[in-house]
Every structure is written in C-alpha cells, then in structure tokens.
Amino acid sequence: MESALALKPVINVAAICGSLRKASYNRGLIRSAIDLTKQSVDGMAIEYVDISPLPMLNTDLEIDGKYPPAVEVFRQKILQSDCFLFASPEYNYSVTAPLKNAIDWASRPPNVWADKAAAIVSAGGGFGGGRSQYILRQSGVYLDLHFINKPEFFLNAFQSPPKFDDEGNLIDAEAKERLKAVLLALKAFTLRLQAK
C-alpha cells in the first residue's frame, strides 16, 4: 500500500507573484496556496519563484547564446515546472512591470512557458485585480500557456470583513475555499494536458 502512495504523481507548480513587496496581498495568496497544498490538496507541490533578481529585459545581456545567471536560474525553474500559479496585482489596468519582465525573459528562445497549464489569482481594490488577469490571459495566447477558465479568483482586499492580516496573510475562510477550488482545477487541467 505504501508503494502505491509513493507512485502517486506530484504536480510541481511554480508560483509567481507580480508584486515584489513582502507583505503584498498577492504574495499572501501564494503563501495560502502553499499551505493549502500541504493541508488539503494532495498531489501538488508549490514553489514560490522570486522574480526580484531578474534584470530588466535587455537583449544586450544575452551573450554567446546565454542569459544572465539570474535569468538562467529563473528559466530553469519555469522549464522544470508542470504548471504555473500567477498572483497578479493590477497596476494601471494591467499587469505589473516585474511580472511582464519575468514573462518576457522566459519567452525568449526557446519559450519555456509553452504548452503548460496555468491559473491566475489576484487581490486588490475594486475589481480585485481582474483587469490584470485579462491582460495576462492575452499574453498567454502568444506564449502557448493554457489558463484554466474556471473558477476565476478576484478578491477585493479592502471590503469588510478583513481578508488579510497586517502581514499580508490571507485570513478569510471563504477566500481560502475559493483558492482551494482554483488549485484543484489547476491540478485536474494539468493532469489532462499531461495525458495527451
């Protein structure tokens, strides 16, 4: 029986936050997703991938077909992942500059995003970061990323009752259940894509 459990596939998820701030609500969503996979979502392992070390995209930095060391490390993490969880705040009706920069570096030849599943979650004011999700989905078309369609996860972080504590950790039970549903959908879609 133990050997059957050991053979159970584990989906490796690269989690990328568009905000660089440590107490970011979007980073809090990733921390909560990591906790959920340890507590109640079997078969998934989420690794937070820090995009802050990446230099701004500049092809002059590509020397002899090689990328800067921080970019190479990032690209390898993307390449080795089975799928992606993006936590995308909304800046000026779009994705953040750090997130777009990370997407662009990993799309340089060869595109390491291609043919993998992805999900997007976001927290913010008003629409909860929803417009950034639409922009990210548009980029995904060119990148050959396959985003889950449902459930969508937008969280208005400023509505009562409080959704996050002072350190940016998700404390809202209903939001955690919605986040869990996203993870389960991402898991199912990833397995479906891998079976093809």
Side-chain angles (χ1 to χ4, degrees):
M1 184 70 152
E2 251 182 74
S3 62
L5 291 175
L7 297 176
K8 188 175 184 180
V10 173
I11 295 170
N12 294 307
V13 184
I16 301 156
C17 183
S19 175
L20 304 181
R21 194 170 60 84
K22 286 183 177 43
S24 157
Y25 294 150
N26 287 277
R27 178 124 23 132
L29 292 176
I30 289 176
R31 284 191 300 272
S32 189
I34 291 168
D35 289 345
L36 284 167
T37 59
K38 292 176 181 174
Q39 297 168 9
S40 61
V41 180
D42 292 332
M44 290 184 96
I46 300 177
E47 178 186 359
Y48 169 69
V49 179
D50 185 7
I51 61 175
S52 66
L54 297 175
M56 289 302 292
L57 180 69
N58 177 352
T59 55
D60 290 342
L61 298 175
E62 298 173 26
I63 300 169
D64 297 326
K66 293 186 180 174
Y67 298 102
V71 173
E72 288 287 358
V73 168
F74 175 70
R75 288 174 56 85
Q76 281 304 308
K77 287 184 181 200
I78 298 306
L79 187 62
Q80 293 165 2
S81 298
D82 297 311
C83 61
F84 311 106
L85 176 64
F86 292 95
S88 181
E90 180 182 317
Y91 289 8
N92 301 318
Y93 280 27
S94 189
V95 297
T96 65
L99 181 56
K100 181 67 168 82
N101 186 55
I103 289 167
D104 291 345
W105 271 122
S107 72
R108 299 288 300 147
N111 172 16
V112 293
W113 299 111
D115 212 25
K116 294 183 181 180
I120 314 168
V121 296
S122 59
F127 192 30
R131 286 177 285 259
S132 71
Q133 292 195 21
Y134 298 139
I135 299 296
L136 188 51
R137 285 177 183 276
Q138 287 175 337
S139 295
V141 172
Y142 182 79
L143 300 171
D144 199 22
L145 265 172
H146 306 291
F147 285 102
I148 64 168
N149 292 322
K150 294 179 185 167
E152 292 181 310
F153 187 101
F154 314 107
L155 182 62
N156 187 323
F158 307 107
Q159 282 182 331
S160 291
K163 309 294 188 251
F164 295 89
D165 66 17
D166 291 340
E167 289 154 11
N169 296 306
L170 184 63
I171 57 172
D172 185 82
E174 181 184 336
K176 286 183 181 183
E177 283 303 310
R178 290 177 47 223
L179 182 57
K180 181 179 176 180
V182 169
L183 295 174
L184 291 171
L186 177 59
K187 177 183 173 183
F189 192 41
T190 301
L191 290 171
R192 203 166 82 219
L193 284 177
Q194 289 176 340
K196 289 184 177 187

